[in-house]
Amino acid sequence: MPLNFTFALSQQQTIDFCPEEELQTKAATLHNMAQVIAQQGDIARAIALYEQSLEISEQIGDVKGKAVTFSNIASLAGKTGDKTRQLELNIEAVSALIQIRAYSDLLTVLGNLGVADESNGLVFLAQAIWLTLRIQAPLAKTIQLILAFYNRVPQDNELEAVLGVTAMFFCNLRGEGHPQLEELQERSFKMILDAAGIQGIETQEAFDNWYVQQRLNDPDYFLPRLNQRLEEIVGDRWLFDPSQVSMGE
């Protein structure tokens, strides 16, 4: 899903010599109109309105507004089949979000890139999951990204198992009171079971032994191991400087 910010603001008729707040209102109104028109199926008109909103955001230096608009135009470009523009606009959104350290929103854009880009999707998703190990990301978004990555990796029993237990770890860590916790736990555990099934593990005793032997009960092992594997996958293809990301942001 693209980034989706909703503003309940009234439309302004002119932007000439307007104070910044009125320009922000104008940009937000154009953005809302574009969303509605896109839902009605008029993609070309929606893109035109997004581009007007983007121009205003650039004029007033609204970096977050630029990023959101880039991402939404990218989504529409993808619907028209323009994969090249979709990729370019999402990269622009990434650059803008990095400027303001909006890492939770960056996860969304990296997820969009991961789904849309057939050749580099795994690299983008690896960066997104790498971020979830360091920032306070929403639980549902974290599990969604892990599942997307899990479904894209070449068959790798160790990595698949580590992804499953990491998803379960996050459910336990951040899931208290979450309305979707049971569903997210089931989806996380299924990843673990699938990885075990590929190994030919069919009994509870065999599963319990495998779980301990693979150190899947030890987050001090499996979290650094996942981090290492993610960095190997990304290599030198980072879209941001990983050294600038602090734990717990």
Side-chain angles (χ1 to χ4, degrees):
M1 296 291 293
L3 289 171
N4 210 351
F5 288 68
T6 300
F7 301 83
L9 299 169
S10 59
Q11 182 178 6
Q12 304 295 314
Q13 296 302 315
T14 179
I15 63 172
D16 292 336
F17 308 108
C18 290
E20 184 172 312
E21 288 185 4
E22 293 187 10
L23 288 173
Q24 289 176 332
T25 299
K26 176 70 173 180
T29 301
L30 288 166
H31 200 282
N32 284 345
M33 291 170 61
Q35 288 179 324
V36 172
I37 290 169
Q39 291 170 358
Q40 295 172 346
D42 192 343
I43 302 300
R45 187 179 173 210
I47 289 175
L49 290 169
Y50 275 135
E51 288 175 342
Q52 292 178 50
S53 177
L54 178 62
E55 183 177 351
I56 297 171
S57 294
E58 290 176 334
Q59 179 183 344
I60 63 179
D62 180 3
V63 179
K64 181 68 167 288
K66 285 170 54 179
V68 173
T69 307
F70 277 136
S71 179
N72 286 336
I73 299 175
S75 177
L76 295 183
K79 291 180 179 179
T80 67
D82 191 344
K83 297 296 184 180
T84 299
R85 191 178 187 211
Q86 182 182 23
L87 174 62
E88 291 172 348
L89 289 167
N90 273 319
I91 296 296
E92 292 280 2
V94 167
S95 298
L97 292 169
I98 291 168
Q99 290 179 41
I100 56 175
R101 303 173 76 89
Y103 293 122
S104 183
D105 294 324
L106 179 58
L107 288 178
T108 301
V109 179
L110 288 170
N112 291 343
L113 282 164
V115 171
D117 192 318
E118 290 294 330
S119 57
N120 295 301
L122 197 65
V123 173
F124 297 135
L125 289 169
Q127 293 177 66
I129 296 170
W130 185 93
L131 276 174
T132 68
L133 300 179
R134 288 161 173 78
I135 70 171
Q136 295 297 315
L139 178 60
K141 181 184 291 186
T142 298
I143 304 305
Q144 180 184 27
L145 287 167
I146 291 174
L147 279 165
F149 184 76
Y150 178 92
N151 290 328
R152 290 289 296 270
V153 293
Q155 186 170 317
D156 184 326
N157 297 333
E158 182 207 21
L159 182 54
E160 290 171 347
V162 167
L163 287 168
V165 295
T166 300
M168 188 63 74
F169 172 82
F170 280 125
C171 286
N172 295 334
L173 181 68
R174 302 175 183 168
E176 184 176 358
H178 195 287
Q180 296 175 279
L181 179 58
E182 184 175 349
E183 175 190 349
L184 296 173
Q185 287 175 323
E186 288 177 357
R187 298 174 77 183
S188 300
F189 192 57
K190 186 177 186 301
M191 284 187 274
I192 304 171
L193 289 178
D194 288 347
I198 293 171
Q199 294 287 318
I201 296 168
E202 298 179 352
T203 68
Q204 185 66 51
E205 181 180 2
F207 177 86
D208 292 342
N209 290 335
W210 169 79
Y211 198 84
V212 172
Q213 289 169 0
Q214 297 297 314
R215 300 181 67 180
L216 301 178
N217 59 341
D218 182 5
D220 289 334
Y221 168 77
F222 67 72
L223 291 176
R225 180 59 177 152
L226 175 58
N227 186 77
Q228 178 185 352
R229 295 297 302 276
L230 294 171
E231 291 182 351
E232 290 171 355
I233 290 169
V234 177
D236 60 358
R237 292 175 287 178
W238 293 95
L239 295 183
F240 55 91
D241 183 351
S243 69
Q244 299 300 309
V245 182
S246 302
M247 294 294 289
E249 289 198 67

